[in-house]
């Protein structure tokens, strides 16, 4: 069975030369325009924060259905080497919480160049990650889990995205991509906002073993981020799929909020082995910034101080296909707060245990158990760092998704 039915925004972050849309896209104007889409609905148990909760209202919760995610993908082949991609999406766990609006969530103009290279202008995927298994709105089928990883460093910004993929005579494949972006998904002409720079690459050996690395640099003046809750979203991840009783779905309550992304540098290294029905992937990275939130870590704020913030992160995940229709997966991720002045318990971790069932090539059902623990000084967004003991939360979540 084909398992390549991924929304373009996820495929683009995984493979630089992936093609937009799905195999079932509707075609118009002799194939020049293709329209595809995705939909996702999930249900979760009441996820309650135990221990020293940052928000008292999140210590009690009931089960409920989450709000449905929906996306429509438009691909237009303008000329032989020029195309346009746009995703219109309702994504409540990201920036359009509560708006009930279909918005541009990712779009670009693509120019295909010789030797399997190209350039995209528009929304660039800014990340240090490689071999990504990630959910974003309705685009969830490339992720064997329901939620994302606690260590995810990823966002989308405005700029230029160059990429390439090259097959060597030995059977090895090499990919690379580079981004130059202004540090906002929207327009930002603030003086001193600077530019963000990203570079990634993978080496994929013929036997299934792969290596990857990525770096990312943000470059704001302090005056350019005053009044804003972060510099670049890359340091605090994208919207996740776990929700609490009183915290907004678009908040970053499930991510450690340590590095604000003002003048930051992030790097990550990956290794993966993939066989026919089995894969294992491990990563390690660090993120540091010359600045910190003025009011301390663990919550988004709008004022900053010149104080070093730093985090180390690592994760390991595996997936096993029991058959063409069933799989199981497990992921463990850990973040350590290494910021200046931090002492005492400073770690947060997440474990995810998942299973999936493909009803057909377009329909996937998932079930997952997730548990996260946050030490007092971990920078976790659900823990009150003024109280000893830390916090933890866990829950069960199921998801149904369809691509068309």
């Amino acid at each position: 069975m084909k398992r390549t039915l991924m929304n373009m925004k996820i495929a683009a972050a995984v493979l630089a030369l992936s093609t937009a849309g799905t195999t079932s896209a509707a075609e118009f104007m002799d194939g020049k325009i293709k329209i595809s889409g995705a939909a996702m609905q999930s249900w979760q148990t009441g996820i309650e924060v135990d221990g020293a909760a940052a928000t008292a209202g999140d210590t009690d919760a009931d089960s409920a259905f989450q709000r449905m995610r929906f996306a429509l993908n438009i691909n237009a082949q303008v000329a032989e080497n020029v195309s346009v991609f746009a995703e219109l999406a309702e994504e409540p766990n990201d920036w359009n919480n509560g708006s009930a609006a279909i918005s541009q969530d990712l779009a670009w103009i693509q120019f295909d160049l010789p030797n399997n290279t190209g350039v995209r202008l528009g929304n660039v995927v800014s990340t240090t990650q490689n071999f990504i298994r990630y959910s974003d709105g309705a685009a969830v089928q490339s992720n064997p889990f329901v939620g994302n990883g606690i260590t995810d460093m990823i966002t989308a910004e405005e700029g230029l995205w160059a990429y390439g993929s090259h097959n060597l005579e030995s059977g090895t494949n090499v990919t690379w991509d580079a981004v130059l972006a202004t540090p906002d998904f929207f327009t930002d002409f603030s003086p001193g906002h600077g530019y963000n720079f990203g570079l990634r690459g993978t080496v994929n050996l013929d036997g299934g073993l792969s290596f990857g690395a990525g770096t990312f640099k943000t470059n704001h003046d302090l005056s350019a981020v005053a009044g804003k809750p972060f510099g670049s979203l890359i340091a605090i991840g994208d919207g996740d799929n776990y929700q609490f009783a009183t915290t907004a779905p678009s908040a970053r309550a499930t991510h450690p909020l340590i590095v604000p992304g003002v003048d930051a540098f992030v790097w990550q290294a990956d290794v993966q082995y993939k066989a026919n029905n089995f894969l294992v992937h491990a990563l390690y990275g660090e993120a540091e910034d010359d600045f910190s939130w003025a009011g301390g870590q663990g919550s988004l704020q709008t004022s900053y101080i010149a104080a070093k913030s730093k985090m180390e992160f690592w994760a390991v995940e595996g997936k096993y296909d029991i058959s063409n229709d069933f799989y199981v997966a497990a992921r463990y991720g850990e973040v350590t707060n290494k910021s200046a002045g931090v002492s005492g318990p400073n770690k947060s971790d997440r474990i995810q245990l998942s299973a999936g069932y493909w009803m057909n090539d377009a329909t996937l059902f998932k079930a997952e158990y997730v548990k996260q623990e946050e030490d007092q000084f971990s920078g976790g967004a659900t823990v009150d760092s003024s109280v000893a003991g830390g916090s933890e939360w866990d829950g069960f979540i199921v998801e149904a998704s369809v691509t068309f």
Side-chain angles (χ1 to χ4, degrees):
M1 299 176 69
K2 296 178 181 178
R3 299 300 185 223
T4 58
L5 300 174
M6 296 187 293
N7 178 277
M8 181 56 200
K9 67 194 298 186
I10 299 299
V14 182
L15 298 173
L17 290 181
S18 59
T19 56
T22 69
T23 56
S24 58
E27 298 185 4
F28 303 91
M29 298 179 63
D30 296 326
K32 290 184 178 181
I33 296 179
K34 297 180 180 180
I35 298 178
S36 59
M40 184 272 276
Q41 175 69 70
S42 62
W43 172 91
Q44 70 173 48
T45 58
I47 296 181
E48 303 174 355
V49 180
D50 298 321
T55 304
D58 290 338
T59 61
D60 190 19
D62 205 347
S63 63
F65 287 97
Q66 293 187 5
R67 182 164 165 171
M68 185 178 182
R69 283 83 159 143
F70 175 81
L72 190 65
N73 309 315
I74 303 171
N75 301 271
Q77 193 68 39
V78 179
E80 183 179 357
N81 61 344
V82 180
S83 59
V84 175
F85 167 77
E87 183 195 52
L88 305 177
E90 208 283 322
E91 190 176 331
N93 61 324
D94 203 349
W95 52 270
N96 64 340
N97 168 49
S99 66
I102 299 293
S103 306
Q104 175 198 323
D105 197 56
L106 198 68
W108 57 68
I109 305 168
Q110 177 169 310
F111 301 89
D112 297 326
L113 303 177
N115 302 316
N116 289 329
T117 61
V119 172
R120 291 173 179 148
L121 299 173
N123 303 137
V124 303
V125 177
S126 297
T127 185
T128 58
Q129 297 178 224
N130 295 282
F131 318 116
I132 300 173
R133 280 160 283 277
Y134 192 79
S135 293
D136 193 5
V140 300
Q141 293 192 351
S142 65
N143 183 11
F145 305 92
V146 176
N148 296 321
I150 191 175
T151 64
D152 288 340
M153 297 282 177
I154 190 168
T155 188
E157 298 172 331
E158 298 281 355
L160 181 150
W161 185 0
Y163 56 86
S165 178
H166 313 282
N167 295 320
L168 307 182
E169 292 183 0
S170 62
T172 299
N173 171 259
V174 176
T175 71
W176 61 270
D177 72 295
V179 300
L180 170 66
T182 49
D184 201 312
F185 186 77
F186 307 99
T187 300
D188 185 0
F189 292 100
S190 304
H193 70 66
Y195 285 88
N196 289 344
F197 307 90
L199 180 64
R200 290 186 304 161
T202 68
V203 177
N204 309 289
L205 306 180
D206 191 36
L209 184 63
S210 297
F211 301 91
T215 62
F216 197 83
K217 180 71 175 75
T218 74
N219 185 28
H220 297 77
D221 289 344
L222 188 60
S223 59
V225 296
K228 302 177 182 178
F230 47 79
S232 172
L233 268 171
I234 187 174
I236 56 176
D238 204 21
D240 214 338
N241 284 349
Y242 314 117
Q243 296 183 14
F244 301 98
T246 60
T247 303
S250 59
R252 299 298 186 264
T254 61
H255 290 268
L257 302 180
I258 299 172
V259 174
V262 178
D263 191 3
F265 180 73
V266 187
W267 69 268
Q268 177 177 320
D270 302 76
V271 59
Q272 175 176 277
Y273 176 74
K274 186 176 182 180
N276 288 334
N277 64 338
F278 171 78
L279 71 83
V280 61
H281 171 215
L283 64 90
Y284 175 84
E286 295 181 358
E288 57 184 316
D289 201 327
D290 288 337
F291 297 90
S292 298
W293 282 289
Q297 297 166 337
S299 63
L300 299 178
Q301 302 158 47
T302 58
S303 58
Y304 306 85
I305 56 174
K308 289 278 187 180
S309 55
K310 181 178 180 179
M311 58 185 283
E312 296 178 354
F313 56 93
W314 65 274
V316 60
E317 62 185 355
K319 176 175 176 283
Y320 178 71
D321 295 323
I322 300 172
S323 67
N324 285 336
D325 300 326
F326 292 94
Y327 70 81
V328 292
R331 174 192 283 155
Y332 176 82
E334 184 176 290
V335 174
T336 304
N337 188 354
K338 294 288 187 177
S339 301
V342 171
S343 61
N346 62 345
K347 292 183 179 180
S348 57
D349 62 66
R350 178 184 299 178
I351 186 169
Q352 297 164 265
L353 303 175
S354 180
Y357 165 63
W358 288 94
M359 174 180 286
N360 51 51
D361 281 353
T363 308
L364 175 60
F365 295 92
K366 304 179 196 174
E368 178 189 295
Y369 171 76
V370 57
K371 181 176 182 179
Q372 183 158 315
E373 297 182 345
E374 301 175 9
D375 287 343
Q376 181 179 2
F377 304 110
S378 65
T382 69
V383 66
D384 183 350
S385 61
S386 66
V387 180
S391 69
E392 66 176 52
W393 52 268
D394 69 338
F396 183 76
I397 184 169
V398 294
E399 173 189 280
S401 63
V402 174
T403 56
F404 56 90

